[in-house]
Amino acid sequence: MTDLQDYQVVIKYLNKQKNRQKHLLLGNGFSMSYDKKIFSYNALSNFVTKTKDKLLQKLFGIIDTTNFETVMRELDLFHKLASEFSDDKKLARKITKARDSLKKNLMDAISELHPEHVFKIPEKSNRKCAEFLKTYLDSGGHVFSTNYDLLLYWVLMRNQDQITNIVDGFGKERIEKDDDEYSEPEYGDLEWGSNQADQHVHYVHGALHIFDEGVSIIKEIYDENCLLENIKKRIDNKEYPVFVTAGDGKQKLVHILHNQYLNYCYKTLSSITGSLVVFGFGFGKYDGHIIDAINKAAKGKKGNKFDKLWSIYIGVYSKDDEKYINSILGKFKCKKVHLFDSKTANIWK
């Protein structure tokens, strides 16, 4: 690679800009830097391709890829073609069944490969990651994640006394009781919305612990069982987490805009000001909706052309990553786009 900036140089510079907010966008590289054997796309693909679902086995064989987004995109396209050119409703239902099965298998893969509980993360790794996140949240910035796993949630939960602004928009609503005003108060589920105004943590593509119950978006919490166990019970009961698994960027955006929680997270990303640091997110061919959000932020708010996203700092891991990001720099409308060496961030070590 060429002489890229170290992450420490980048963050030291941004910390000196007292009147500028700094935000963080995390992709799968954030989780892979913790343990690539668990969180790599190959690990998920290997798990899913071992499925006993004969329909999915045939599907992976026909399309000849284990990339979930590609398979999902091909299924969506095939569904449209079948609906347009065929009167066979059984075919359309079969495609829908395959698509739903693929989504469930993806969720199963993530939950099965996932560390069992929050304290499986070594304390040293926990502290290092907390320091990394603290830089953004303590200064009033926002953290956006496109990951489905629980790593970010766990680190924030373990360090809530050390990091400010870890509000993710969820809170317990008090249940009003008419019969006895002196009884102990009762609270419902952790529901999204009551702390929306103070939200600084955003799961742009959803996550394992977030569920859409139709009227409300809730967050699964610990009780006498561990969090992952509760999530698995919900999935077994055919209650599925909020996951954006659509094929291309346009389809992902449609999914996002039709969910009140995801829509809010996306709009927040589209309106940030100052500088954005990107770690572990590759801006692949199905991520155009994220680039669009960044470009909306770069345009600024109406009536104040100075109140906008000025610069973006994109972390790259390899020479190929650097070459690819350089090839798409023209897609970004920020005044300045910089690259830095992701390995120098040392998030978990």
Side-chain angles (χ1 to χ4, degrees), residues 106-122:
L106 175 59
M107 293 181 199
D108 288 343
I110 293 170
S111 60
E112 287 296 328
L113 294 170
H114 209 288
E116 187 179 356
H117 53 73
V118 61
F119 295 106
K120 285 290 185 179
I121 300 176

Side-chain angles (χ1 to χ4, degrees), residues 109-346:
I110 293 170
S111 60
E112 287 296 328
L113 294 170
H114 209 288
E116 187 179 356
H117 53 73
V118 61
F119 295 106
K120 285 290 185 179
I121 300 176
E123 183 57 26
K124 182 179 179 182
S125 296
N126 164 59
R127 288 198 304 269
K128 282 288 293 182
C129 187
E131 290 173 9
F132 173 71
L133 299 170
K134 184 180 176 70
T135 301
Y136 300 92
L137 293 171
D138 277 11
S139 63
H142 293 265
V143 171
F144 303 90
S145 175
T146 61
N147 299 332
Y148 304 135
D149 62 69
L150 302 173
L151 289 183
L152 174 62
Y153 177 41
W154 277 353
V155 171
L156 293 175
M157 186 170 62
R158 279 179 70 175
N159 296 276
Q160 54 189 317
D161 295 334
Q162 305 297 321
I163 306 175
T164 58
N165 289 327
I166 65 169
V167 178
D168 57 9
F170 291 85
K172 286 192 174 185
E173 296 285 349
R174 180 167 176 166
I175 300 174
E176 297 296 336
K177 295 185 293 184
D178 297 329
D179 54 340
D180 186 359
E181 62 180 301
Y182 299 105
S183 62
E184 287 291 321
E186 290 184 11
Y187 295 88
D189 293 322
L190 270 174
E191 186 174 333
W192 179 76
S194 58
N195 295 309
Q196 179 180 315
D198 299 316
Q199 185 172 341
H200 282 262
V201 178
H202 311 266
Y203 298 91
V204 184
H205 285 168
L208 270 177
H209 61 294
I210 299 174
F211 290 81
D212 188 343
E213 294 197 335
V215 177
S216 58
I217 308 293
I218 68 161
K219 180 172 71 173
E220 186 57 77
I221 58 173
Y222 281 93
D223 48 26
E224 66 272 10
N225 302 316
C226 74
L227 180 60
L228 199 56
E229 187 177 335
N230 288 339
I231 290 170
K232 287 179 180 178
K233 284 181 179 178
R234 281 183 174 270
I235 292 175
D236 288 341
N237 289 330
K238 301 189 183 303
E239 298 176 46
Y240 300 123
V242 175
F243 265 33
V244 177
T245 55
D248 59 26
K250 183 178 180 180
Q251 291 166 332
K252 287 180 180 178
L253 182 58
V254 169
H255 188 159
I256 288 169
L257 296 181
H258 282 78
N259 180 281
Q260 56 178 329
Y261 169 80
L262 298 177
N263 188 22
Y264 181 82
C265 293
Y266 186 78
K267 284 185 175 180
T268 303
L269 176 60
S270 302
S271 60
I272 56 175
T273 64
S275 297
L276 175 67
V277 175
V278 180
F279 184 90
F281 189 81
F283 295 103
K285 61 180 179 179
Y286 303 135
D287 296 323
H289 61 301
I290 299 296
I291 296 177
D292 288 344
I294 289 171
N295 289 340
K296 285 180 183 178
K299 285 183 179 179
K301 299 176 181 177
K302 291 182 179 179
N304 189 348
K305 64 180 181 179
F306 299 106
D307 196 12
K308 63 183 180 181
L309 182 66
W310 285 94
S311 59
I312 179 172
Y313 295 79
I314 304 173
V316 294
Y317 274 92
S318 66
K319 190 173 183 178
D320 287 341
D321 289 346
E322 181 184 1
K323 183 178 179 181
Y324 173 71
I325 295 299
N326 277 321
S327 74
I328 63 168
L329 285 182
K331 293 184 177 182
F332 298 96
K333 306 305 179 185
C334 293
K335 187 174 182 179
K336 295 182 179 179
V337 182
H338 305 278
L339 274 60
F340 69 91
D341 186 350
S342 292
K343 295 188 293 295
T344 61
N346 296 318

Side-chain angles (χ1 to χ4, degrees), residues 82 86-93:
S86 174
D87 294 326
D88 188 354
K89 294 183 179 180
K90 288 183 179 179
L91 178 60
R93 286 198 296 267

